[in-house]
Amino acid sequence: MSELIIEHLAKAYGDTRVVKDINLHVEEGELVALLGPSGCGKSTTLRMIAGFVKPTEGRILLGGEDISRLPPYRRDTGMVFQSYALFPHMSVAANVGFGLEMRKIGRAERDERIRQALSMVRLDHLAERMPRQLSGGQQQRVALARALAINPKMLLLDEPLSNLDAKLRGEVQHEIRNLQQRLGLTTLMVTHDQDEALTMADRLAMMEGGVVRQIGTPQEIYDTPDDVYVAGFIGRCNLIAGRQKAPGLFVSEGGSELPCDPASDAGAREVTFALRPEKITLVPVASAPGPGDDATRQRARITGMAYLGAQTEFELDLAGTALVAVMPTPSRNTPLSALRPGAEVFATWQAQDARLLAERP
Ligand code: ADP
């Protein structure tokens, strides 16, 4: 068993509490990403699990054992750092074997485990190279092999991809995720990059100011953010201040009435209406059919437009309220190609995609 349970974990430096009462459960074989802006306490949390930082309060259980007071080398955690942290004077094989030597594993077994770990990251042929003779991507794979060689109960990844260029990042992302799933490794990853977290993680823990604001699958966090902070951090979101007029109907401060999910009663008088730009569909008024049963459509005017290749972004004025919509770029000479600045349009969305959140932006 190698599930991780964190209970009431906190860290203070002097009077400053940089991590406050974190509770988190990473199931066996699961990859959870700690996501949040710089300075929110992600690395400190990871370092407390690895044993490099001593918690002020709380407990860390790995596979049922309380590891909170153990030194790092007795925790069975393999860590990969943003900076790779390879020993420059040691060969690739010696770097990968370092943790095994520390644990007094005999020569024959050590060599075999080095070979296996390097083969997992497809670097068997570079065992005798020195780190300076490797590319950034290769160095990061050596760091990963070093973490895997000790057969850790858990893998800890601290911004593992942020030193790599965009193309390599995608490759190493896939490689780490495949390996993690193949080996069924319980993994906690720290990142400030939402795309990385959305593509790699089974679940995300959204952090802010030393606390976890929301935990869920990427889709849960994206589709049903609990608060304005989470909605604004992940992807783009129209956030409009106003109040709930009736179940399923929001009225903005400017007086626009907008349909919303009747089930998302924020329970507060002053609320924020949250709607992802890609959930809005636009049809030019001139080519729109009669309303039929589509009572939710709203009349708006296009005030601006940005061509993004596959998609186009439209700025809208909906009875005094500004909204952004993103649609697949229309083909030329189709009715939708009339979507231009100045055009009068109908904007529609599914009521369930517009949620009311309790606080203000
Ligand atoms: P993140 O990984 O989310 O960027 P960190 O966990 O590195 O955030 O840091 C959280 C906060 O704790 C920051 O404000 C940082 O300045 C502070 N901090 C980190 N380490 C120390 C330390 N050794 N002494 C004092 N403050 C620290």
Side-chain angles (χ1 to χ4, degrees):
M1 284 294 286
S2 61
E3 62 173 353
L4 173 79
I5 297 174
I6 296 176
E7 295 174 346
H8 302 296
L9 194 64
K11 177 68 189 175
Y13 290 108
D15 290 341
T16 314
R17 295 175 73 214
V18 300
V19 172
K20 304 168 195 162
D21 196 24
I22 288 196
N23 294 283
L24 187 67
H25 186 170
V26 183
E27 287 172 29
E28 179 156 359
E30 190 183 31
L31 191 158
V32 171
L34 290 180
L35 177 66
S38 181
C40 72
K42 306 180 296 293
S43 291
T44 304
T45 303
L46 202 73
R47 279 157 201 273
M48 286 194 273
I49 299 165
F52 302 131
V53 170
K54 202 167 153 229
T56 316
E57 285 164 48
R59 287 208 306 166
I60 301 162
L61 302 164
L62 182 56
E65 183 192 4
D66 186 345
I67 61 168
S68 319
R69 308 277 170 260
L70 296 181
Y73 61 90
R74 295 207 29 225
R75 292 196 179 201
D76 279 343
T77 53
M79 179 130 171
V80 177
F81 299 89
Q82 175 178 356
S83 57
Y84 320 140
L86 298 179
F87 303 111
H89 57 285
M90 285 162 58
S91 69
V92 164
N95 265 284
V96 174
F98 182 77
L100 302 172
E101 206 170 328
M102 289 286 101
R103 286 166 176 76
K104 310 253 183 291
I105 307 276
R107 179 75 190 251
E109 186 182 345
R110 196 164 78 216
D111 287 350
E112 176 56 19
R113 279 165 65 174
I114 294 171
R115 198 191 57 71
Q116 280 176 0
L118 282 175
S119 141
M120 281 184 217
V121 298
R122 295 179 293 111
L123 285 182
D124 341 35
H125 57 296
L126 299 181
E128 297 317 316
R129 288 251 184 112
M130 299 302 277
R132 66 170 183 281
Q133 298 170 309
L134 302 177
S135 69
Q138 289 169 333
Q139 289 186 45
Q140 193 55 308
R141 278 150 62 195
V142 174
L144 184 60
R146 182 174 61 185
L148 296 174
I150 60 164
N151 289 338
K153 278 195 186 147
M154 168 157 211
L155 193 58
L156 300 171
L157 306 172
D158 191 358
E159 302 266 7
L161 307 170
S162 51
N163 278 350
L164 304 176
D165 64 44
K167 184 169 174 294
L168 252 183
R169 204 177 305 150
E171 284 173 23
V172 181
Q173 222 172 59
H174 270 101
E175 186 154 353
I176 293 179
R177 179 61 163 154
N178 286 342
L179 209 52
Q180 179 268 331
Q181 287 183 315
R182 190 153 60 79
L183 300 175
L185 259 177
T186 309
T187 303
L188 190 63
M189 175 174 87
V190 157
T191 180
H192 65 274
D193 183 325
Q194 51 167 298
D195 292 335
E196 200 165 293
L198 289 171
T199 30
M200 290 182 73
D202 294 304
R203 286 189 304 145
L204 310 180
M206 270 298 312
M207 284 187 69
E208 190 209 14
V211 300
V212 172
R213 298 289 292 254
Q214 187 175 355
I215 302 178
T217 64
Q219 192 163 7
E220 281 164 357
I221 300 260
Y222 187 83
D223 286 347
T224 54
D226 279 348
D227 59 38
V228 169
Y229 169 76
V230 175
F233 191 88
I234 303 254
R236 294 190 60 192
C237 200
N238 290 292
L239 296 169
I240 301 165
R243 63 189 170 81
Q244 187 176 17
K245 187 168 178 188
L249 191 62
F250 165 88
V251 53
S252 73
E253 284 175 343
S256 319
E257 294 192 354
L258 309 176
C260 61
D261 184 359
S264 77
D265 181 350
R269 216 185 106 66
E270 304 209 313
V271 295
T272 296
F273 170 95
L275 176 63
R276 301 283 182 196
E278 75 278 10
K279 303 289 189 191
I280 301 176
T281 304
L282 303 178
V283 181
V285 166
S287 63
D293 58 1
D294 186 7
T296 63
R297 67 187 196 179
Q298 307 287 313
R299 190 140 178 160
R301 193 166 54 82
I302 297 178
T303 54
M305 179 171 156
Y307 173 70
L308 306 172
Q311 296 182 313
T312 300
E313 185 180 295
F314 299 94
E315 286 163 32
L316 307 173
D317 175 3
L318 198 155
T321 298
L323 278 179
V324 174
V326 170
M327 298 238 296
T329 296
S331 299
R332 277 174 293 159
N333 305 321
T334 59
L336 286 185
S337 62
L339 295 174
R340 303 248 147 232
E344 294 291 326
V345 295
F346 286 121
T348 52
W349 57 86
Q350 303 276 330
Q352 68 192 34
D353 288 331
R355 292 167 51 78
L356 299 186
L357 305 173
E359 357 61 62
R360 313 306 291 271

